[in-house]
Amino acid sequence: MTGFASFVTPEASAGAAVSDAIAEASACLDRFTERFNACDTAGMDGELHFPHVMLSGADRLEWQAPGNHPTDFFEKLKASGWRRTRYQSKEAVLASADKVHFVVTYTREDGAGMVLSTHRNLWIATRVAGRWGISLRSY
């Protein structure tokens, strides 16, 4: 199915294929966060699909290619006391064989493990050309 019809016609659920997709997409999110905690922006980009969309309120940011993280991103984050990000939950709320919507709850913590902030976001991972990547993050 192509064109607009593919957007409005529900895909038949394929049980095991959807379960596998959720596991593979979840692993992509885990790799992204491992790279985030390592302050590795190139590694983070490796877990994204481009163009990559981020929504914050009504504001929309679209990165066409890797290499868009501000160079001082981790310096500023560390200045706030941050040392690591940890998932509290990743709930797949809509899934098909090639796309999974997650409600992701995570904390940002200092070096002693004290929670500095808690975030609940929607992240969408897609499989494109056989590779899972994060296509959209909504903050």
Side-chain angles (χ1 to χ4, degrees), residues 91-133:
E91 179 187 3
V93 294
L94 180 63
S96 68
D98 291 315
K99 180 181 61 154
V100 182
H101 295 226
F102 289 97
V103 173
V104 178
T105 303
Y106 60 91
T107 54
R108 290 194 173 155
E109 302 174 357
D110 68 11
M114 181 176 194
V115 173
L116 301 170
S117 61
T118 301
H119 305 265
R120 190 165 188 250
N121 307 132
L122 176 68
W123 290 14
I124 300 174
T126 56
R127 180 174 20 211
V128 176
R131 184 181 78 79
W132 282 97

Coordinates of all heavy atoms in Angstrom, one line a residue, residues 91-133:
E91 N 7.5 2.4 27.7 CA 6.2 1.7 27.5 C 5.9 1.8 26.0 O 5.7 2.9 25.5 CB 5.1 2.3 28.3 CG 3.8 1.7 28.1 CD 2.6 2.4 28.8 OE1 2.9 3.4 29.5 OE2 1.5 1.9 28.7
A92 N 5.8 0.7 25.3 CA 5.4 0.7 23.9 C 3.8 0.9 23.9 O 3.1 0.1 24.4 CB 5.7 -0.6 23.2
V93 N 3.4 2.0 23.3 CA 2.0 2.3 23.3 C 1.3 2.1 22.0 O 0.1 2.1 21.9 CB 1.7 3.8 23.9 CG1 2.1 3.9 25.3 CG2 2.4 4.8 23.0
L94 N 2.1 2.0 20.9 CA 1.6 1.7 19.6 C 2.7 1.1 18.8 O 3.8 1.6 18.8 CB 1.2 3.1 18.9 CG 0.6 3.0 17.5 CD1 -0.7 2.1 17.5 CD2 0.4 4.3 16.9
A95 N 2.5 -0.1 18.2 CA 3.6 -0.8 17.6 C 3.1 -1.5 16.3 O 2.0 -2.0 16.3 CB 4.2 -1.8 18.6
S96 N 4.0 -1.6 15.4 CA 3.8 -2.4 14.2 C 5.2 -3.0 13.9 O 6.1 -2.8 14.7 CB 3.3 -1.6 13.0 OG 4.3 -0.7 12.6
A97 N 5.3 -3.8 12.8 CA 6.6 -4.4 12.5 C 7.7 -3.4 12.2 O 8.9 -3.8 12.4 CB 6.4 -5.4 11.4
D98 N 7.4 -2.2 11.8 CA 8.4 -1.2 11.5 C 8.4 0.1 12.2 O 9.1 1.0 11.9 CB 8.3 -1.0 10.0 CG 8.8 -2.2 9.1 OD1 9.8 -2.8 9.5 OD2 8.1 -2.5 8.2
K99 N 7.5 0.2 13.2 CA 7.4 1.5 14.0 C 6.9 1.2 15.4 O 6.0 0.4 15.6 CB 6.4 2.4 13.3 CG 6.3 3.7 13.9 CD 5.3 4.6 13.2 CE 4.0 4.0 13.2 NZ 2.8 4.8 13.0
V100 N 7.5 1.8 16.4 CA 7.1 1.7 17.7 C 7.1 3.1 18.4 O 8.1 3.8 18.3 CB 8.0 0.7 18.5 CG1 7.5 0.6 20.0 CG2 8.1 -0.6 17.9
H101 N 6.0 3.4 19.0 CA 5.8 4.6 19.8 C 6.0 4.2 21.2 O 5.4 3.3 21.7 CB 4.4 5.2 19.7 CG 4.0 5.7 18.3 ND1 3.4 6.9 18.1 CD2 4.2 5.1 17.1 CE1 3.2 7.0 16.8 NE2 3.6 6.0 16.1
F102 N 7.0 4.9 21.9 CA 7.2 4.6 23.3 C 6.9 5.9 24.1 O 7.2 7.0 23.7 CB 8.7 4.4 23.5 CG 9.2 3.1 23.0 CD1 9.9 3.0 21.8 CD2 9.1 1.9 23.8 CE1 10.4 1.8 21.3 CE2 9.6 0.7 23.3 CZ 10.2 0.7 22.1
V103 N 6.3 5.7 25.3 CA 6.3 6.7 26.3 C 7.5 6.4 27.2 O 7.5 5.3 27.8 CB 5.0 6.7 27.1 CG1 5.1 7.7 28.3 CG2 3.8 7.1 26.2
V104 N 8.4 7.3 27.2 CA 9.7 7.0 27.9 C 9.7 7.9 29.1 O 9.6 9.1 29.0 CB 10.9 7.4 26.9 CG1 12.2 7.2 27.7 CG2 10.8 6.5 25.7
T105 N 10.0 7.3 30.3 CA 10.2 8.1 31.5 C 11.6 7.8 31.9 O 12.0 6.7 32.0 CB 9.2 7.6 32.6 OG1 7.8 7.8 32.1 CG2 9.3 8.4 33.9
Y106 N 12.3 8.9 32.1 CA 13.7 8.8 32.6 C 14.1 9.9 33.6 O 13.4 10.9 33.7 CB 14.7 8.8 31.4 CG 14.6 10.1 30.5 CD1 15.5 11.2 30.8 CD2 13.7 10.2 29.5 CE1 15.4 12.3 30.1 CE2 13.7 11.4 28.7 CZ 14.5 12.4 29.0 OH 14.5 13.6 28.3
T107 N 15.1 9.6 34.3 CA 15.6 10.6 35.2 C 17.0 11.0 34.8 O 17.8 10.3 34.2 CB 15.7 10.0 36.7 OG1 16.4 8.8 36.7 CG2 14.3 9.8 37.2
R108 N 17.3 12.3 35.2 CA 18.7 12.8 35.1 C 19.2 12.8 36.5 O 18.6 13.3 37.4 CB 18.7 14.1 34.4 CG 18.4 14.0 32.9 CD 18.7 15.2 32.1 NE 18.5 14.9 30.7 CZ 18.2 15.9 29.8 NH1 18.2 17.1 30.2 NH2 18.0 15.5 28.6
E109 N 20.4 12.2 36.7 CA 20.9 12.1 38.0 C 22.3 12.7 38.2 O 23.1 12.8 37.2 CB 21.0 10.6 38.4 CG 19.7 9.9 38.3 CD 19.7 8.4 38.4 OE1 20.9 7.8 38.6 OE2 18.7 7.7 38.4
D110 N 22.7 13.0 39.4 CA 24.0 13.5 39.7 C 24.9 12.3 40.0 O 24.5 11.1 39.9 CB 24.0 14.5 40.8 CG 23.7 13.9 42.2 OD1 23.6 12.7 42.4 OD2 23.5 14.7 43.1
G111 N 26.2 12.5 40.3 CA 27.1 11.5 40.5 C 26.8 10.5 41.6 O 27.2 9.4 41.7
A112 N 26.0 11.0 42.6 CA 25.6 10.2 43.8 C 24.3 9.4 43.5 O 23.9 8.7 44.4 CB 25.5 11.1 45.0
G113 N 23.7 9.6 42.3 CA 22.5 9.0 42.0 C 21.3 9.7 42.5 O 20.1 9.2 42.3
M114 N 21.4 11.0 42.9 CA 20.3 11.8 43.3 C 19.6 12.3 42.0 O 20.2 12.7 41.1 CB 20.8 13.0 44.1 CG 19.7 13.9 44.6 SD 20.4 15.2 45.7 CE 18.9 15.8 46.4
V115 N 18.3 12.2 42.0 CA 17.5 12.6 40.9 C 17.4 14.1 40.8 O 17.0 14.8 41.7 CB 16.1 12.0 40.9 CG1 15.2 12.6 39.8 CG2 16.1 10.5 40.9
L116 N 17.9 14.6 39.7 CA 17.9 16.1 39.4 C 16.6 16.5 38.7 O 16.0 17.6 38.9 CB 19.1 16.5 38.5 CG 20.4 16.2 39.1 CD1 21.5 16.4 38.1 CD2 20.7 17.0 40.4
S117 N 16.1 15.6 37.8 CA 14.8 15.9 37.1 C 14.3 14.6 36.6 O 15.0 13.6 36.3 CB 15.1 16.9 36.0 OG 16.0 16.4 35.0
T118 N 13.0 14.6 36.3 CA 12.3 13.4 35.8 C 11.6 13.9 34.5 O 11.0 15.0 34.5 CB 11.3 12.8 36.7 OG1 12.0 12.4 37.9 CG2 10.6 11.6 36.1
H119 N 11.6 13.1 33.4 CA 11.1 13.5 32.2 C 10.2 12.4 31.6 O 10.5 11.2 31.8 CB 12.2 13.8 31.1 CG 13.1 14.8 31.6 ND1 13.0 16.1 31.3 CD2 14.2 14.7 32.4 CE1 14.0 16.8 31.9 NE2 14.8 15.9 32.6
R120 N 9.1 12.7 31.0 CA 8.2 11.8 30.4 C 7.9 12.3 29.0 O 7.4 13.4 28.8 CB 6.9 11.7 31.2 CG 6.0 10.5 30.7 CD 4.9 10.2 31.7 NE 4.2 9.0 31.4 CZ 3.0 9.0 31.0 NH1 2.3 10.1 30.9 NH2 2.4 7.9 30.7
N121 N 8.4 11.5 28.0 CA 8.4 11.9 26.6 C 7.8 10.8 25.7 O 7.8 9.7 26.1 CB 9.8 12.3 26.1 CG 10.5 13.3 27.0 OD1 11.6 13.0 27.4 ND2 9.8 14.3 27.4
L122 N 7.5 11.2 24.5 CA 7.1 10.3 23.4 C 8.2 10.2 22.4 O 8.7 11.2 21.9 CB 5.8 10.8 22.7 CG 5.4 9.9 21.5 CD1 4.9 8.6 22.0 CD2 4.3 10.6 20.8
W123 N 8.7 9.0 22.2 CA 9.8 8.8 21.2 C 9.2 7.8 20.2 O 8.6 6.8 20.6 CB 11.0 8.2 21.9 CG 11.8 9.2 22.7 CD1 11.4 10.4 23.2 CD2 13.1 9.0 23.2 NE1 12.4 11.0 24.0 CE2 13.5 10.2 24.0 CE3 14.1 8.0 23.1 CZ2 14.7 10.3 24.6 CZ3 15.3 8.2 23.7 CH2 15.6 9.3 24.5
I124 N 9.5 8.0 19.0 CA 9.1 7.0 17.9 C 10.3 6.5 17.2 O 11.1 7.3 16.7 CB 8.1 7.7 16.9 CG1 6.9 8.3 17.6 CG2 7.7 6.8 15.8 CD1 6.0 9.1 16.8
A125 N 10.4 5.2 17.2 CA 11.5 4.5 16.5 C 10.9 3.8 15.3 O 9.8 3.3 15.4 CB 12.2 3.5 17.5
T126 N 11.7 3.9 14.2 CA 11.2 3.2 13.0 C 12.4 2.4 12.4 O 13.5 2.6 12.6 CB 10.8 4.3 11.9 OG1 11.9 5.2 11.7 CG2 9.6 5.1 12.4
R127 N 11.9 1.4 11.6 CA 12.9 0.5 10.9 C 12.9 1.0 9.5 O 11.9 0.9 8.8 CB 12.6 -1.0 11.0 CG 13.6 -1.8 10.3 CD 13.4 -3.3 10.4 NE 12.1 -3.7 10.8 CZ 11.9 -4.8 11.5 NH1 12.9 -5.6 11.9 NH2 10.7 -5.2 11.8
V128 N 14.0 1.5 9.0 CA 14.2 2.0 7.7 C 15.4 1.3 7.1 O 16.4 1.3 7.6 CB 14.4 3.6 7.7 CG1 14.7 4.1 6.2 CG2 13.2 4.3 8.3
A129 N 15.1 0.7 5.9 CA 16.2 -0.1 5.2 C 16.8 -1.1 6.1 O 18.0 -1.3 6.1 CB 17.2 0.9 4.6
G130 N 16.0 -1.7 7.0 CA 16.4 -2.8 7.9 C 17.1 -2.3 9.2 O 17.5 -3.1 10.0
R131 N 17.2 -1.0 9.4 CA 17.9 -0.5 10.6 C 16.9 0.3 11.4 O 16.2 1.2 11.0 CB 19.1 0.5 10.2 CG 19.9 1.0 11.4 CD 21.0 1.9 10.9 NE 20.5 3.2 10.6 CZ 20.2 4.2 11.5 NH1 20.3 4.0 12.8 NH2 19.9 5.4 11.1
W132 N 16.9 0.0 12.8 CA 16.1 0.8 13.7 C 16.8 2.1 14.1 O 18.0 2.1 14.3 CB 15.8 -0.1 15.0 CG 14.8 -1.1 14.8 CD1 15.0 -2.4 14.4 CD2 13.4 -0.9 14.8 NE1 13.8 -3.0 14.3 CE2 12.8 -2.1 14.5 CE3 12.6 0.3 15.0 CZ2 11.4 -2.2 14.4 CZ3 11.2 0.1 15.0 CH2 10.6 -1.1 14.7
G133 N 16.0 3.1 14.1 CA 16.6 4.4 14.5 C 15.4 5.2 15.1 O 14.2 5.0 14.9

